[in-house]
Amino acid sequence: QKEVEQDPGPLSVPEGAIVSLNCTYSNSAFQYFMWYRQYSRKGPELLMYTYSSGNKEDGRFTAQVDKSSKYISLFIRDSQPSDSATYLCAMTLSGGYNKLIFGAGTRLAVHP
Amino acid sequence: GAVVSQHPSWVICKSGTSVKIECRSLDFQATTMFWYRQFPKQSLMLMATSNEGSKATYEQGVEKDKFLINHASLTLSTLTVTSAHPEDSSFYICSARAIPQGAVKETQYFGPGTRLLVL
């Protein structure tokens, strides 16, 4: 079993839809959770950074962490064609620096 | 803030030659940088951790003599693919540790990547 599971998609939605992207994980010691967006042939870009359980909102993006279920989500409201990209979840332990553990990435296509 | 650049953005070379890729942190100092490899439609695969002033730490299965890493300053790490072969063709991405605004713990900021094609 992988430490982090993420459905690779592809996920295709119409413009304006609410998108829900999810990851599950097995290590209950993960404390820090991130979402990265990667456009084709580009490096990943940090979108959201959260610590422990709860919600964090930034514009059209909301990151949600449920540590009891070992489940994290990224919601995109009013999706735009420019949101079409691969979204990678990542997580790490607390206490000093530890490696980032990435999900496989979900490919999202938002069509006009 | 936390901008990471890479050079070159793409390179084509003949089999047997060596290729050097540079990774720079533009607006911050990075004591630790990371090198990843990514195949099409796959996630990032960590190759090595580069520490300023010391030897890099390689992940299991990554040949240290094949992929030479040098972190000579707080803003520059280089990856040299020695005696490159077609199977080394891939997308190489570096990252650097930095603390996001408002956060207390570091995360990684990524460069734009370098596409290597070995003929």
Side-chain angles (χ1 to χ4, degrees), chain A:
Chain A
Q1 183 188 6
K2 292 180 182 178
E3 279 193 284
V4 180
E5 298 277 0
Q6 184 178 9
D7 186 340
L11 180 62
S12 181
V13 301
E15 183 176 355
I18 297 175
V19 175
S20 173
L21 304 168
N22 312 294
C23 288
T24 59
Y25 60 95
S26 56
N27 189 345
S28 58
F30 285 137
Q31 294 283 350
Y32 296 87
F33 305 90
M34 287 135 276
W35 286 94
Y36 287 87
R37 176 175 63 193
Q38 186 176 23
Y39 290 113
S40 181
R41 298 174 183 265
K42 299 290 184 184
E45 169 195 11
L46 181 66
L47 265 184
M48 301 290 282
Y49 175 95
T50 55
Y51 168 69
S52 200
S53 286
N55 291 358
K56 182 177 182 180
E57 189 173 318
D58 185 0
R60 295 184 296 111
F61 299 90
T62 299
Q64 194 171 77
V65 175
D66 182 348
K67 290 198 68 185
S68 61
S69 303
K70 300 195 191 76
Y71 188 89
I72 67 170
S73 302
L74 178 70
F75 298 96
I76 307 175
R77 291 183 299 280
D78 187 25
S79 56
Q80 302 295 311
S82 59
D83 295 327
S84 299
T86 296
Y87 290 80
L88 296 148
C89 65
M91 48 199 76
T92 189
L93 307 171
S94 63
Y97 187 78
N98 297 282
K99 296 176 190 176
L100 284 184
I101 308 299
F102 286 92
T106 299
R107 289 168 55 207
L108 171 67
V110 181
H111 52 85

Side-chain angles (χ1 to χ4, degrees), chain A residues 32 34 36 38 41-44 46 49 88 92-97 99-100 102-104 107, chain B residues 34 36 38 41 43-44 46 59 91 93 97 100 103-112 115:
Chain A
Y32 296 87
M34 287 135 276
Y36 287 87
Q38 186 176 23
R41 298 174 183 265
K42 299 290 184 184
L46 181 66
Y49 175 95
L88 296 148
T92 189
L93 307 171
S94 63
Y97 187 78
K99 296 176 190 176
L100 284 184
F102 286 92
R107 289 168 55 207
Chain B
F34 303 87
Y36 291 84
Q38 188 177 36
K41 298 184 181 180
S43 192
L44 302 166
L46 179 64
E59 294 299 302
F91 191 48
I93 312 174
R97 289 168 58 183
V104 296
K105 185 169 168 69
E106 298 166 326
T107 186
Q108 292 181 32
Y109 289 87
F110 288 85
R115 192 160 301 277

Side-chain angles (χ1 to χ4, degrees), chain B residues 17-101:
Chain B
T17 60
S18 293
V19 175
K20 180 185 282 189
I21 302 170
E22 292 186 348
C23 177
R24 293 181 184 272
S25 57
L26 296 186
D27 52 359
F28 65 104
Q29 293 183 331
T31 55
T32 304
M33 292 183 172
F34 303 87
W35 287 96
Y36 291 84
R37 187 173 179 176
Q38 188 177 36
F39 291 104
K41 298 184 181 180
Q42 293 189 25
S43 192
L44 302 166
M45 184 190 80
L46 179 64
M47 298 174 65
T49 301
S50 169
N51 298 298
E52 189 267 336
S54 65
K55 291 183 179 180
T57 303
Y58 291 81
E59 294 299 302
Q60 192 173 12
V62 177
E63 298 177 60
K64 60 179 69 176
D65 295 329
K66 174 77 171 173
F67 299 99
L68 299 179
I69 291 172
N70 182 270
H71 195 152
S73 77
L74 289 172
T75 60
L76 174 64
S77 176
T78 60
L79 168 69
T80 301
V81 183
T82 62
S83 186
H85 291 284
E87 58 265 30
D88 298 323
S89 299
S90 191
F91 191 48
Y92 293 88
I93 312 174
C94 71
S95 70
R97 289 168 58 183
I99 300 177
Q101 191 174 13

